[in-house]
Amino acid sequence: MTKDKESAVRNLHFVYILTLVFGTIIQFSDESEFVVDMSKIGLIHVPKDLSPKTEVLDMSQNYVSELHLSDIGFLSGLKVLRLSHNRIQCLDISIFKFNQDLEYLDLSHNRLQKISCHPITTSLKHLDLSFNDFDTLPICKEFGSLTQLNFLGLSATKLQQLDLLPIAHLHLSCVLLDLEGYFVKENEKESLQILNTKELHLVFHPNSFFSVQVNISVNSLGWLQLTNIKLNDDNCQVLTKFLSELTRGPTLLNFTLNHMETTWKCLVGVFQFLWPKPVEYLNIYNLTIVESINEEVFTYHETTLKALNIEHVINRVFIFSQTALYTVFSEMTITMLTISDTPFVHMLCPQKPSTFTFLNFTQNIFTDSVFQNCHTLTRLETLILQKNELKDLFKVGLMTKDMLSLEILDVSWNSLEYDRHDGNCTWVGSIVVLNLSSNILTDFVFRCLPPRVKVLDLHNNRIRSIPKDVTSLETLQELNVASNSLAHLPGCGTFSSLSILIIDYNSISNPSADFFQSCREIRSLKAGNNPFQCTCELRDFIQSVDQVSSEVVEGWPDSYKCDYPESYKGTPLKDFRVSQLSCNTALLIVTIGVPGLVLAVTVTVLCIYLDLPWYLRMVCQWTQTRHRARNVPLEELQRALQFHAFISYSERDSAWVKNELVPCLEKEDIRICLHERNFVPGKSIVENIINCIEKSYKSIFVLSPNFVQSEWCHYELYFAHHNLFHEGSNNLILILLEPIPQNSIPDKYHKLRALMAQRTYLEWPKEKSKHGLFWANIRAAFNLKLTLVTENDDVKA
């Protein structure tokens, strides 16, 4: 809270000046040549290179000592000229004769001692000559033509009753009279008549005790301000006497004292003096209390005073009766009391039913004991206890239970906590606006709230979630939970009347898309500046935002940006795009699952059709056997080939094999390996088949329809063919005992089909005359190897 804060009425003069000056500046700010700011740059004269189009010129706080016609005469469009805080000593009004549009002229805080009077533009609205070195009021008769003049600032060390006669007919809004250098001999008294002004502001010397004895009369004065009032018990009556004439009129409603230093006794005396006056609003800013604070008698008779506003108090009395201090204020029969930015540690409960409807004790040192068990504030409607030392929300609730008219309670910027689980809080039922912001409240606060609250401010606390079982906030219309640690956007199941939600600066990453469905009464949502995760879940929320009015979602789209993942960080949510496929789980499953299922079914069918499991099993067994063979010593490997041929046949063709094939081959000294006599007991059939094939130079397969139907024959053919590729030799001999129709070979025996289509086979002739040629072809297949076997046999011998 600023030290010199003024009430709404006190700001009329200030607002007027800002409107006139800065309104003009804003109007032309788009074109810099219209507005020239040369303040605080050490100028000693007016620059010559100013644009003729300049309309606002600020050269305040420089070292300019002289003004000439040539300095500003060419600025025909000049409207605002600020030359305050320079070193100008003389002023010739004629230098402004070409500035016919000039409305605002500030020459305050210079060293002006005299002015040369000349006609001046009648468009002037603001003329400030205050805080200069004039002996008498610098009033020219030509000022009487300034019919648009609203503000007039003057300085003087002496006053004469008719000094302002030339402007007596003007209706001014404000007159500022600088009397810092005012001096009059003791027992002398001067008079000054100010005919028409709504506001009079008198500034006295800041370090001197108040001693001004001048009789100032004003017609229709509505607002009186005094600045730099230094009082003690001796000169207190000088001030009240000075005020007697000024406060006589019935129109004076506002009285302000700025920078006041006084004793407690004198301050109470000023209150007592003003109590019967027509003043309705009394403001004291920057009050310093000195010497002592004792109990003073104060008569609370009938008064028109409505509001007392005291801001920024310095108490230089360290030992005093707090009762004497607080009682004067607590028993006042006014409606509004503000005592802010003071060292007050407490405020007494009025002894009898109070007239207070508004109490503001911002920035004091009040504790939880204030107003406890106070039954006399039944008319109180607004209570502000910002920036104090309140700690227990439960006790704050108890404080209000007898304030039957209380509607607005502000206890923000304290250290309030509430951690009870029972939610058994006591509040007056009339509270509709509650400000609990900037405390250390957690989720439990929702179990300790007034039952009929409509506006609730909980921003800047430690809330992580809003309990779903809260049932006492059906009337809540506006909720502010900004700057907490909320992770989710709450629904309105608990807050059926909620129309305004402020929830920005939290930890919300994936707001629910159902929010607008749940909160149908919502008129304003402010949820920006959260760490949004731009994922599929967020896409639904973005779509729901697009479906509501742009006025509902405040700050959209600038305050709504992605925080995660890094690739999207800083991207406005409205620009976030993600495909339908990646967000629709069912569609994604269908898109990926159906082709996968088709592939699985296809592979399964092919496996069944091609007997792939069987081939895999055979490869595994053959690999294991080959691995064992590698571990056999070299001497054993040299003795590994023991047979000329391994014969594979169907058991149904065994008669031909044993009666025809085997005798004929063994007659030629060809060693034959047969399963019934050469398989090693104890080993698996597959292992025996592989061993026999590997110990034989050739593998003879007796093909017939019976062979096709034998699975073991097919195994033997598979391993023999595999060995063919592994060894790189031509070790297969195919004998077609009986014709095999191509369509009779099962599909899974595709290797047999391939061999019969690609390799030459020997067909057993039915005619006996051709048997000789058949056996000759068989022997020819063994001729080369017979010699080798014989040599090996010799080595063995």
Side-chain angles (χ1 to χ4, degrees), residues 31-39 47 50-51 54-59 80:
E31 302 183 45
S32 58
E33 64 178 333
F34 291 158
V35 180
V36 179
D37 185 359
M38 292 186 171
S39 61
L50 294 173
S51 170
T54 300
E55 298 189 1
V56 177
L57 177 58
D58 186 353
M59 293 193 300
V80 176

Side-chain angles (χ1 to χ4, degrees), residues 204-205 207-213 228-243 260-263 265-267 270 290-291:
F204 304 99
H205 196 283
N207 299 320
S208 301
F209 282 102
F210 186 84
S211 61
V212 176
Q213 300 184 50
N228 299 332
I229 308 298
K230 189 173 183 179
L231 303 170
N232 56 24
D233 293 344
D234 296 329
N235 73 333
C236 192
Q237 290 185 350
V238 177
L239 175 64
T240 56
K241 189 174 182 180
F242 172 78
L243 293 175
M260 182 179 186
E261 180 180 309
T262 180
T263 62
K265 180 179 180 180
C266 183
L267 180 63
V270 172
V290 297
E291 295 187 9

Side-chain angles (χ1 to χ4, degrees), residues 393-535:
L393 182 63
F394 181 81
K395 291 183 178 179
V396 171
L398 285 177
M399 175 191 70
T400 69
K401 66 184 180 66
D402 294 316
M403 300 176 181
L404 303 180
S405 302
L406 188 64
E407 296 183 353
I408 301 174
L409 175 62
D410 186 347
V411 287
S412 60
W413 291 99
N414 280 278
S415 301
L416 288 172
E417 294 182 273
Y418 182 81
D419 55 5
R420 304 189 185 193
H421 296 265
D422 53 11
N424 188 21
C425 288
T426 301
W427 292 90
V428 67
S430 57
I431 296 178
V432 293
V433 178
L434 177 60
N435 190 343
L436 294 172
S437 63
S438 299
N439 283 285
I440 50 178
L441 297 164
T442 62
D443 306 0
F444 291 112
V445 67
F446 288 95
R447 305 188 186 280
C448 183
L449 294 172
R452 296 183 181 86
V453 64
K454 295 181 179 180
V455 179
L456 177 60
D457 191 344
L458 285 166
H459 84 269
N460 193 27
N461 276 281
R462 299 179 182 178
I463 301 171
R464 294 183 175 274
S465 64
I466 298 177
K468 295 182 178 180
D469 57 347
V470 177
T471 58
S472 59
L473 297 175
E474 291 83 0
T475 60
L476 187 64
Q477 298 176 3
E478 179 176 342
L479 175 62
N480 185 347
V481 286
S483 300
N484 279 280
S485 301
L486 291 165
H488 302 285
L489 194 62
C492 292
T494 305
F495 317 119
S496 56
S497 302
L498 191 66
S499 61
I500 299 176
L501 175 61
I502 304 173
I503 197 170
D504 51 343
Y505 294 101
N506 274 274
S507 301
I508 300 174
S509 56
N510 291 306
S512 172
D514 299 331
F515 173 78
F516 293 103
Q517 292 293 326
S518 172
C519 302
R520 296 186 178 274
E521 301 296 324
I522 204 76
R523 292 185 291 104
S524 176
L525 170 66
K526 190 175 183 180
N529 299 293
N530 276 287
F532 296 110
Q533 291 189 11
C534 288
T535 58

Side-chain angles (χ1 to χ4, degrees), residues 21-288:
V21 178
F22 295 104
T24 305
I25 292 176
I26 293 171
Q27 181 179 358
F28 300 105
S29 59
D30 292 339
E31 302 183 45
S32 58
E33 64 178 333
F34 291 158
V35 180
V36 179
D37 185 359
M38 292 186 171
S39 61
K40 303 179 183 179
I41 61 174
L43 292 175
I44 60 174
H45 57 76
V46 180
K48 302 298 183 183
D49 57 350
L50 294 173
S51 170
K53 296 182 179 180
T54 300
E55 298 189 1
V56 177
L57 177 58
D58 186 353
M59 293 193 300
S60 60
Q61 302 187 57
N62 282 292
Y63 304 102
V64 178
S65 59
E66 295 181 335
L67 279 180
H68 302 285
L69 178 62
S70 59
D71 292 333
I72 59 174
F74 65 98
L75 304 177
S76 58
L78 189 64
K79 293 184 176 181
V80 176
L81 176 59
R82 301 190 65 185
L83 284 165
S84 62
H85 296 276
N86 276 279
R87 298 178 178 180
I88 303 172
Q89 297 180 358
C90 298
L91 177 64
D92 187 345
I93 298 295
S94 65
I95 67 173
F96 303 112
K97 64 182 180 179
F98 296 121
N99 308 114
Q100 295 301 310
D101 294 331
L102 189 62
E103 298 179 2
Y104 185 101
L105 177 59
D106 187 355
L107 288 162
S108 63
H109 297 277
N110 276 279
R111 300 176 181 177
L112 288 171
Q113 296 179 353
K114 62 178 182 178
I115 60 174
S116 298
C117 295
H118 294 277
I120 190 171
T121 172
T122 58
S123 61
L124 201 61
K125 298 177 181 178
H126 182 103
L127 176 59
D128 195 350
L129 300 171
S130 62
F131 301 98
N132 279 285
D133 298 335
F134 297 112
D135 288 332
T136 59
L137 293 178
I139 298 295
C140 296
K141 63 179 182 178
E142 288 81 3
F143 289 177
S145 63
L146 301 178
T147 55
Q148 298 187 52
L149 192 65
N150 287 314
F151 175 87
L152 177 61
L154 302 171
S155 293
T157 59
K158 299 178 182 179
L159 298 176
Q160 294 182 7
Q161 184 173 4
L162 301 180
D163 280 348
L164 299 179
L165 185 60
I167 60 171
H169 60 285
L170 299 181
H171 294 274
L172 303 176
S173 295
C174 178
V175 172
L176 169 62
L177 188 55
D178 163 33
L179 298 177
E180 285 191 2
Y182 178 78
F183 174 78
V184 66
K185 294 180 180 180
E186 191 174 354
N187 299 324
E188 288 187 7
K189 188 172 184 179
E190 296 181 340
S191 298
L192 180 65
Q193 186 174 10
I194 304 175
L195 298 181
N196 295 297
T197 184
K198 297 178 181 178
E199 176 185 347
L200 176 61
H201 186 182
L202 303 176
V203 180
F204 304 99
H205 196 283
N207 299 320
S208 301
F209 282 102
F210 186 84
S211 61
V212 176
Q213 300 184 50
V214 59
N215 186 9
I216 300 177
S217 59
V218 184
N219 293 336
S220 305
L221 182 63
W223 185 1
L224 175 63
Q225 291 192 66
L226 304 183
T227 298
N228 299 332
I229 308 298
K230 189 173 183 179
L231 303 170
N232 56 24
D233 293 344
D234 296 329
N235 73 333
C236 192
Q237 290 185 350
V238 177
L239 175 64
T240 56
K241 189 174 182 180
F242 172 78
L243 293 175
S244 296
E245 182 65 28
L246 286 171
T247 58
R248 182 172 301 177
T251 59
L252 182 62
L253 303 181
N254 300 276
F255 183 33
T256 299
L257 296 167
N258 299 311
H259 298 284
M260 182 179 186
E261 180 180 309
T262 180
T263 62
W264 173 247
K265 180 179 180 180
C266 183
L267 180 63
V268 174
V270 172
F271 289 157
Q272 192 73 76
F273 169 79
L274 294 173
W275 207 254
K277 300 295 182 180
V279 175
E280 295 183 358
Y281 301 93
L282 174 58
N283 305 295
I284 303 177
Y285 302 105
N286 298 290
L287 171 65
T288 301

